Amino acid sequence: NGRRLGISILPDTSIKKTVQKPKTMAELLATAGDAMVVPKKGAVVQGIITAIGKKSLLLEIGAKTEGVVADKEFDAAREYIHEIKVGDKIDALVLSAENEQGQVSLSLRKAANDSRWDYFTEALDNNTILEAKGLEVNKGGLIVLVNGTRGFVPSSQFGKDLVGNFQNLKGETVKVRVIEVERDKNRLILSERHVSEEKELAQKAEALESVEVDAIYEGVVSGVMHFGLFVTVEVPVTDTKAFGHVEGLVHISEISWEKVTHPRDFHAVGDRLKVRVLGIDENTGKLNLSI
């Protein structure tokens, strides 16, 4: 009728189509089409945690099926999983594009590892006290477990009460502070001294200023090497009852007038002895000592 009368009939722009948002996974898949992610083995994907069970974790990664962290991969990241929750956005490594259940198999090992190193870096920056469990003892010190990660406490990083007895710490818990973190080398160095002798270490700068060349002090052997002995020297500071602790080295040639084949033939870690200061290394703050 409009054409007969020469009238152009225009569409009513006031009428808007209502687009329903998908409410189910099936509707989402139907509307997503090619936008869905096709995960490839070895790729890192980001997703949102939708469920955490006792043996598995589900992750919505925008693929046709959810991603799953299960079995040994779940166990490997268990400590990390305890710290995250449903709704968190995390990264995961694709192990398989489709498992027996048609899900994408994922690993959180890298995310867990990154999280652990971030934890130790933050602990180093904040001077945080951590708890470490002794695992193994070797000649250089104690291998410990901290927050699911293996670290090392060198023999020189035990306080005077433990320096000769750290071998008894296997299976025991000890308080430590982080003193070195090298993520690329998987290197975590810890110190028990920085906890047990915190006040003494704080006095180190004052102690260094008080050290006199040619003076004799008492100290404790903190390390035995083929080239000499490391000694923690006790230096009186302003308060005559307080001591600052300064590290020093007794070179093998300064251990005895006798011929010294190896320093361990004369002294062991934990031995108390008197030393004379031959000099001070201003760059390192360490003492050159002689017995």
Side-chain angles (χ1 to χ4, degrees), residues 59-110:
L59 201 64
E60 175 52 58
I61 57 174
K64 291 185 177 181
T65 59
E66 71 269 28
V68 62
V69 180
D71 302 325
K72 64 180 181 180
E73 293 300 329
F74 186 88
D75 291 334
R78 190 176 292 277
E79 293 296 327
Y80 173 63
I81 292 171
H82 283 326
E83 300 173 2
I84 56 182
K85 62 184 183 301
V86 172
D88 284 353
K89 184 179 291 186
I90 60 173
D91 291 334
L93 178 70
V94 178
L95 299 179
S96 173
E98 187 175 352
N99 62 15
E100 294 178 355
Q101 288 74 39
Q103 299 168 311
V104 180
S105 294
L106 303 172
S107 171
L108 297 181
R109 295 194 190 208
K110 183 179 184 303

Side-chain angles (χ1 to χ4, degrees), residues 20-262:
Q20 295 291 334
K21 293 183 178 180
K23 296 180 180 180
T24 65
M25 180 59 71
E27 292 178 356
L28 177 63
L29 291 173
T31 58
D34 296 334
M36 279 294 177
V37 174
V38 180
K40 295 182 179 180
K41 181 179 179 180
V44 175
V45 295
Q46 189 177 76
I48 298 175
I49 300 172
T50 58
I52 301 177
K54 292 183 178 180
K55 297 183 179 180
S56 65
L57 176 148
L58 296 181
L59 201 64
E60 175 52 58
I61 57 174
K64 291 185 177 181
T65 59
E66 71 269 28
V68 62
V69 180
D71 302 325
K72 64 180 181 180
E73 293 300 329
F74 186 88
D75 291 334
R78 190 176 292 277
E79 293 296 327
Y80 173 63
I81 292 171
H82 283 326
E83 300 173 2
I84 56 182
K85 62 184 183 301
V86 172
D88 284 353
K89 184 179 291 186
I90 60 173
D91 291 334
L93 178 70
V94 178
L95 299 179
S96 173
E98 187 175 352
N99 62 15
E100 294 178 355
Q101 288 74 39
Q103 299 168 311
V104 180
S105 294
L106 303 172
S107 171
L108 297 181
R109 295 194 190 208
K110 183 179 184 303
N113 187 55
D114 290 344
S115 175
R116 281 197 292 267
W117 286 108
D118 289 343
Y119 171 83
F120 293 121
T121 299
E122 185 177 343
L124 175 63
D125 294 340
N126 296 330
N127 203 29
T128 306
I129 296 177
L130 307 175
E131 289 193 347
K133 183 177 181 180
L135 294 181
E136 302 174 26
V137 178
N138 59 33
K139 293 181 180 179
L142 180 69
I143 298 173
V144 297
L145 187 68
V146 188
N147 195 36
T149 301
R150 291 166 72 96
F152 186 64
V153 184
S155 59
S156 61
Q157 290 303 322
F158 284 98
K160 56 182 178 292
D161 294 334
L162 289 175
V163 69
N165 303 308
F166 67 85
Q167 295 86 349
N168 300 323
L169 293 176
K170 183 176 180 180
E172 300 294 326
T173 299
V174 60
K175 292 184 178 180
V176 296
R177 279 193 168 100
V178 179
I179 59 173
E180 189 175 338
V181 177
E182 289 188 73
R183 185 183 306 214
D184 295 340
K185 296 181 180 180
N186 203 35
R187 177 182 170 88
L188 176 64
I189 306 299
L190 308 156
S191 172
E192 188 276 334
R193 285 186 63 213
H194 280 67
V195 178
S196 63
E197 297 181 356
E198 182 176 9
K199 291 182 180 179
E200 291 92 334
L201 289 172
Q203 295 170 329
K204 181 178 179 179
E206 186 178 353
L208 268 173
E209 294 179 359
S210 302
V211 171
E212 297 179 9
V213 174
D214 207 39
I216 296 174
Y217 300 97
E218 287 194 1
V220 178
V221 177
S222 58
V224 178
M225 304 298 290
H226 67 279
F227 53 81
L229 303 170
F230 288 107
V231 178
T232 301
V233 180
E234 299 171 349
V235 182
V237 290
T238 305
D239 183 351
T240 55
K241 294 182 180 180
F243 289 92
H245 292 81
V246 184
E247 295 298 319
L249 174 68
V250 179
H251 189 267
I252 189 171
S253 62
E254 295 293 338
I255 291 177
S256 173
W257 293 110
E258 304 173 30
K259 179 181 178 180
V260 180
T261 303
H262 197 291

